[in-house]
Amino acid sequence: LARILGYKMSFTIANGLAEESPGILEVNRYVHTRMEKAWEDRDKAIKNGVTYRYEAPITVGPITYESEKVEGCDLRLIRGGMPTTFISDARQGVSDLVKATGSQAGINGTFFAMAAIKSTDNRLVGPSKTPEMAEVLPDMETTRWPKLRNRPLVMWGPYGAAIYPYQPATMVQDRAYREGMLDMTDCFLGGAWLVHQGMARTREQILATGSSDSMDYRRRAFFGFDMDGRPICGATYNSVTSEQFAVSLAEKGVSEAVLLDSGFSTSLVLGEKILASG
Amino acid sequence: PIPHAILLKGEVDKASEELAKKDEI
């Protein structure tokens, strides 16, 4: 309504708990008497450019594979095709999931809540949705919300993809996600934004939202989009930091990249061939 | 084994399949 009437911004004056907000456009965070505080918090929230966003159509083409050593990273990349996500009831290998879903390629997904190798728990860090789910499954573990704020929320539907900074308190209801993309079929929360608009993010920028072990040497994995809007994912065959990984991906022409779970879970598969593992 | 995966569906480029054979672990 504000836009129709020619205003640049507006605010609601309803008082209520932030976590009970109806959506991202109606956040019960500040009443009109606390505007000064809102501006202060806004300045803190955009530090390190965390309000970056990506929105583009998905370009679907043949699935291609390439490998190259770039900036000390043994990169193995798969691009093309149409992406879809899958959440297992327990835990499964990527090869089995590729086979079971009739897919041609796959990579391990995002970070899971229980890292123990013997665990069979399938809870993920952050919200998630697959085509099989009617609504987004929110992350209601409020104790980790402060750490997750502004991490890259990746979503797509049949016509386009987007990456937005995640705001846990206002992204609880499915409706909040639909405001970003009405026909969204898949979403998950990346561990850190590694490359944006073809530029590698700095160590400080990665650590501003990523976990403290982002700079550990691990076999790293990512998902994102190239300059043409094609999905691209890949992993390293050697152990590298997220900073090195980001630099090498930007060098290879990756436009947007978010960090996936890396280390023991790293797994890149094309058909029956395993090309990288943890 | 992992609880979440990103899968790609589409036609696989023939030359890429050959290249992947060399890198298979």
Side-chain angles (χ1 to χ4, degrees):
Chain A
L1 284 173
R3 195 180 296 156
I4 290 165
L5 292 171
Y7 290 96
K8 293 286 186 193
M9 71 165 288
S10 67
F11 49 86
T12 60
I13 57 171
N15 205 356
L17 296 171
E19 53 270 33
E20 290 176 3
S21 302
I24 193 80
L25 295 178
E26 298 164 69
V27 182
N28 297 335
R29 186 75 184 182
Y30 307 97
V31 291
H32 58 293
T33 54
R34 299 182 71 221
M35 279 302 290
E36 200 174 321
K37 170 77 175 144
W39 284 123
E40 278 173 21
D41 287 353
R42 179 254 182 207
D43 288 342
K44 280 182 212 158
I46 63 170
K47 213 174 162 187
N48 291 322
V50 286
T51 54
Y52 287 165
R53 50 194 282 155
Y54 168 80
E55 287 168 343
I58 297 178
T59 302
V60 180
I63 294 172
T64 61
Y65 169 72
E66 59 209 282
S67 64
E68 193 181 339
K69 187 155 188 166
V70 182
E71 299 286 341
C73 297
D74 280 328
L75 289 181
R76 297 185 165 194
L77 307 175
I78 293 177
R79 74 175 91 200
M82 184 65 191
T84 188
T85 53
F86 187 88
I87 298 178
S88 173
D89 287 337
R91 294 185 183 190
Q92 281 178 272
V94 174
S95 291
D96 296 336
L97 291 173
V98 166
K99 215 175 288 173
T101 59
S103 306
Q104 282 66 50
I107 191 165
N108 60 285
T110 198
F111 292 74
F112 35 106
M114 303 293 282
I117 294 170
K118 283 184 180 172
S119 173
T120 56
D121 185 290
N122 71 350
R123 278 172 300 165
L124 303 177
V125 174
S128 55
K129 186 185 177 308
T130 70
E132 283 73 38
M133 294 158 64
E135 292 197 340
V136 173
L137 178 67
D139 186 338
M140 296 308 292
E141 196 63 58
T142 56
T143 52
R144 62 172 170 242
W145 279 4
K147 281 186 183 174
L148 305 187
R149 199 163 66 93
N150 286 323
R151 282 193 187 182
L153 177 72
V154 183
M155 59 172 81
W156 65 81
Y159 306 109
I163 310 176
Y164 298 129
Y166 174 53
Q167 305 301 322
T170 58
M171 303 194 84
V172 171
Q173 299 172 15
D174 189 74
R175 180 185 157 188
Y177 296 80
R178 301 294 165 186
E179 281 167 359
M181 186 181 288
L182 194 63
D183 54 5
M184 185 259 285
T185 54
D186 299 77
C187 79
F188 68 88
L189 188 69
W193 206 323
L194 300 173
V195 181
H196 178 58
Q197 290 184 340
M199 303 278 288
R201 309 208 68 204
T202 64
R203 178 190 176 89
E204 288 69 31
Q205 286 172 329
I206 293 168
L207 286 172
T209 56
S211 62
S212 54
D213 60 8
S214 301
M215 295 304 151
D216 289 359
Y217 285 87
R218 290 190 186 167
R219 291 186 172 196
R220 298 277 167 189
F222 85 101
F223 176 80
F225 299 92
D226 70 9
M227 299 291 182
D228 299 319
R230 284 180 296 184
I232 183 164
C233 62
T236 60
Y237 194 59
N238 60 339
S239 293
V240 298
T241 68
S242 296
E243 184 185 18
Q244 277 178 277
F245 195 30
V247 170
S248 70
L249 294 176
E251 187 83 11
K252 276 297 288 178
V254 175
S255 178
E256 308 291 332
V258 306
L259 185 67
L260 300 176
D261 205 311
S262 297
F264 286 122
S265 49
T266 295
S267 184
L268 182 70
V269 171
L270 179 67
E272 292 180 352
K273 295 175 272 297
I274 298 172
L275 299 163
S277 69
Chain B
I2 41 105
H4 182 239
I6 303 166
L7 305 161
L8 296 169
K9 291 188 175 189
E11 189 190 330
V12 181
D13 171 68
K14 293 285 174 209
S16 292
E17 261 186 49
E18 292 303 312
L19 183 61
K21 268 184 199 167
K22 291 180 193 164
D23 286 349
E24 186 176 6
I25 56 174

